[in-house]
Amino acid sequence: MLDIKIIRQNPEIVKKSLSNRGTEVDLEELLELDARRRSIIQEGDELKAKRNQFSEQMSKNKGGSPEQKQEIRQIGERIKVIDTEMKDLELAIDDIIKRIPNIPHETVAVGSSEEDNPVIRTIGGKPGFAFTPKEHWELGENLGILDFKRAAKITGARFCLNWGTGARLERALINFMLDVHTKEHGCTEVWTPFMANRDSFTATGQLPKFEEDLFRTDDYFLVPTAEVPVTNIYRDETLPEEKLPIKLVAYTPCFRREAGSYGKDTRGLIRQHQFDKVELVRFAHPDRSFVDLEELTSEAEDILRKLGLHYRVISLCTGDLGFSSAKTYDLEVWMPGQGVYKEISSCSCFTDFQARRGNIRYRSVQMKKSEFCHTLNGSGLAVGRTLAAILENYQNEDGTVRVPEALKPYMELDLIEPIR
RNA sequence: GGAGAGAUGGCCGAGUGGACGAAGGCGUUCGCCUGCUAAGCGAAUGUAGGGUCAAAAGCUUUACCGAGGGUUCGAAUCCCUCUCUCUCCGCCA
């Protein structure tokens, strides 16, 4: 959420941000509602002050003239009307302002689609194969470690059942990632609820705009990313300044409806309704949150490096940037079987956008007032996609798959062979 | 699922219709004092919105005692609904 004061004082900044993102929001209406709200506050406050004065007089004199009482009663009626209108206005303002995306950072390229995302750096290349590399779903099914057919029977499309070493590989990756982030990057591991309420989803920005992307129960929504429960750990709290940055890491399963992506990545592990992810979350000081973004991104990259995977880093342009984000780096891993780079991590700085929605603050003893802190997060990494990348990159001509050096202690195995 | 108890400031805790933004204590900050430390003394100490101001400070006003409604000239206090926490019983992984 943006600060209404910024919108009031610098509407042109917000307009530019919206046009760069290719989004439409009726700012004029918002400003009109805001002006109306302020004028009505004045009227209401004056009437309330009058009523308070009268009440005070009553308490001292133990009485008042019937005419006075009559007048105050009328004022009371008017206040009720005003308060009702106020509530409507605030709802209307809230509804618009919660649909305004974050303002992109000045270093973000202006562009309209993913075509315009600049590549920041490329690590490794496109390693050659002496044979034609297969796609991971074919490898996985041939090995008997990935079973999409039975998963579809159990649940439906876009689910997967892992067998034996495939299940073990999933778990090994989760443990490996958590170990690296906690032991080498100083993150604190957290284990969270996998469902969250509407307030939490509103704070991180999934609601109200993206409700159709979420699975839900009668009472709660299933988390589409650990960003939601982890960022909300400190909702409505004020953190001591000296504790910043707070670095957390969490493993959660993630649940996404993937509405509107029918026909996209229909095969394999790339786009599932349920997938595992290890997520990095930071609560940062506003003065250095973009430094934190560089650090967080390199922590995510560290996993790819250690696994010996080749990848590139791109910076999302204004048109491709997520709703809550001010700047996002995507890590794209090379998938030789498919012959494409696939997103495997998305690292974002949200500035105070989520913190304002979730009322997450920080203060030091010297500070007179608390301020919103900045929030960041990034996948470190998406586990299913990492598993897919390993299959495609470490495959042998006979369909077996070598275990990356870093995973051997976790797999207690050098080679993934067919399950009979 | 059934029966009870509770939710007050950074924390503990008082407060059953007006003098309560809220006693008292703890903590924190500033100052004083004590030849160090501890103790002691004095003062300050919530948040958010609006108005005034070029702006800050200041001044002023409104709201906030789990959330939302109601009664009343006036609600932390009375009534209703909801949420959460705790205890007991039942059921169950």
Side-chain angles (χ1 to χ4, degrees):
Chain A
M1 186 166 70
L2 299 181
D3 189 348
I4 182 82
K5 281 182 190 155
I6 289 178
I7 305 172
R8 202 144 68 201
Q9 284 158 12
N10 308 86
E12 67 285 351
I13 291 178
V14 182
K15 273 181 197 152
K16 188 162 164 247
S17 154
L18 289 170
S19 85
N20 282 346
R21 279 175 172 273
T23 312
E24 297 263 337
V25 174
D26 195 343
L27 279 191
E28 301 307 320
E29 191 191 351
L30 177 67
L31 292 172
E32 270 171 41
L33 290 169
D34 179 55
R36 174 74 186 142
R37 175 178 157 271
R38 280 184 297 156
S39 93
I40 222 174
I41 283 175
Q42 263 191 74
E43 189 189 350
D45 279 6
E46 277 165 24
L47 292 175
K48 283 173 187 169
K50 209 171 190 179
R51 184 174 67 181
N52 286 347
Q53 275 169 24
F54 178 76
S55 295
E56 201 175 324
Q57 173 203 324
M58 283 287 287
S59 71
K60 281 176 182 148
N61 306 347
K62 299 281 171 205
S65 70
E67 301 82 59
Q68 262 181 319
K69 274 201 170 179
Q70 184 55 32
E71 192 198 341
I72 292 299
R73 210 169 281 134
Q74 277 167 2
I75 286 178
E77 291 303 312
R78 177 72 190 138
I79 288 173
K80 235 176 238 178
V81 172
I82 286 174
D83 281 350
T84 308
E85 188 178 347
M86 260 300 286
K87 211 161 288 165
D88 292 345
L89 277 171
E90 273 168 359
L91 282 176
I93 288 170
D94 208 52
D95 190 59
I96 296 177
I97 206 168
K98 285 226 162 83
R99 287 165 197 274
I100 298 176
N102 202 355
I103 297 170
H105 190 250
E106 58 196 17
T107 56
V108 171
V110 176
S112 56
S113 74
E114 56 186 279
E115 316 283 295
D116 304 316
N117 294 338
V119 176
I120 304 298
R121 55 184 171 271
T122 304
I123 282 72
K126 302 177 179 177
F129 280 76
F131 54 94
T132 308
K134 294 193 171 74
E135 291 146 326
H136 70 271
W137 53 85
E138 195 181 339
L139 285 161
E141 283 179 324
N142 288 345
L143 287 165
I145 61 173
L146 300 181
D147 189 342
F148 295 100
K149 249 185 121 174
R150 285 202 180 89
K153 175 174 71 180
I154 299 167
T155 310
R158 294 200 191 281
F159 286 87
C160 187
L161 168 67
N162 294 28
W163 286 94
T165 43
R168 178 70 179 249
L169 183 53
E170 185 90 10
R171 182 158 60 88
L173 282 168
I174 293 167
N175 286 336
F176 166 68
M177 292 176 191
L178 287 171
D179 282 350
V180 170
H181 293 310
T182 54
K183 290 174 186 167
E184 296 181 31
H185 302 148
C187 298
T188 301
E189 184 177 347
V190 288
W191 183 269
T192 71
F194 301 153
M195 297 186 218
N197 58 32
R198 186 168 282 276
D199 284 347
S200 295
F201 276 87
T202 304
T204 37
Q206 281 79 14
L207 292 179
K209 243 190 125 177
F210 304 107
E211 186 157 351
E212 69 278 6
D213 292 334
L214 302 171
F215 283 109
R216 59 176 307 173
T217 66
D218 287 347
D219 302 306
Y220 305 121
F221 296 89
L222 271 59
V223 302
T225 158
E227 165 189 354
V228 177
V230 178
T231 306
N232 275 283
I233 288 174
Y234 292 120
R235 175 152 55 84
D236 292 320
E237 291 192 31
T238 301
L239 305 162
E241 185 182 30
E242 62 272 17
K243 280 183 81 175
L244 302 179
I246 294 173
K247 299 169 65 176
L248 304 179
V249 62
Y251 155 75
T252 70
C254 302
F255 304 92
R256 299 186 182 178
R257 295 190 71 93
E258 298 295 349
S261 64
Y262 301 110
K264 225 171 147 188
D265 303 312
T266 47
R267 301 201 67 184
L269 292 172
I270 300 305
R271 198 170 296 273
Q272 299 270 291
H273 284 313
Q274 176 189 317
F275 61 97
D276 293 306
K277 185 156 60 66
V278 169
E279 184 78 2
L280 298 162
V281 175
R282 277 197 195 201
F283 299 85
H285 195 286
D287 290 350
R288 52 156 286 157
S289 57
F290 285 93
V291 176
D292 280 278
L293 177 61
E294 301 298 324
E295 288 179 9
L296 184 140
T297 306
S298 87
E299 288 174 4
E301 286 180 70
D302 200 25
I303 301 293
L304 288 167
R305 280 193 293 267
K306 286 183 156 70
L307 290 174
L309 295 170
H310 300 243
Y311 66 97
R312 64 182 188 184
V313 182
I314 62 171
S315 176
L316 298 191
C317 72
T318 53
D320 206 23
L321 202 59
F323 177 77
S324 303
S325 177
K327 183 170 188 175
T328 297
Y329 291 118
D330 271 6
L331 308 186
E332 297 184 331
V333 70
W334 175 246
M335 297 277 197
Q338 299 169 69
V340 291
Y341 278 105
K342 276 284 171 195
E343 178 197 331
I344 198 162
S345 172
S346 194
C347 303
S348 305
C349 175
F350 302 96
T351 60
D352 60 359
F353 190 86
Q354 294 180 329
R356 179 172 289 107
R357 287 174 160 232
N359 190 28
I360 306 168
R361 296 164 172 273
Y362 75 94
R363 84 181 294 169
S364 64
V365 283
Q366 294 83 31
M367 288 167 67
K368 277 196 86 174
K369 295 181 70 168
S370 62
E371 303 277 354
F372 292 117
C373 56
H374 283 193
T375 58
L376 299 92
N377 68 53
S379 350
L381 306 162
V383 177
R385 291 185 180 189
T386 308
L387 192 149
I390 287 171
L391 295 187
E392 294 198 13
N393 280 280
Y394 284 87
Q395 60 180 299
N396 297 316
E397 191 165 11
D398 63 1
T400 58
V401 173
R402 300 184 306 282
V403 174
E405 211 48 51
L407 286 182
K408 283 183 181 168
Y410 295 87
M411 291 296 287
E412 298 170 337
L413 198 70
D414 291 347
L415 190 69
I416 298 174
E417 294 178 286
I419 296 174
R420 300 167 301 100

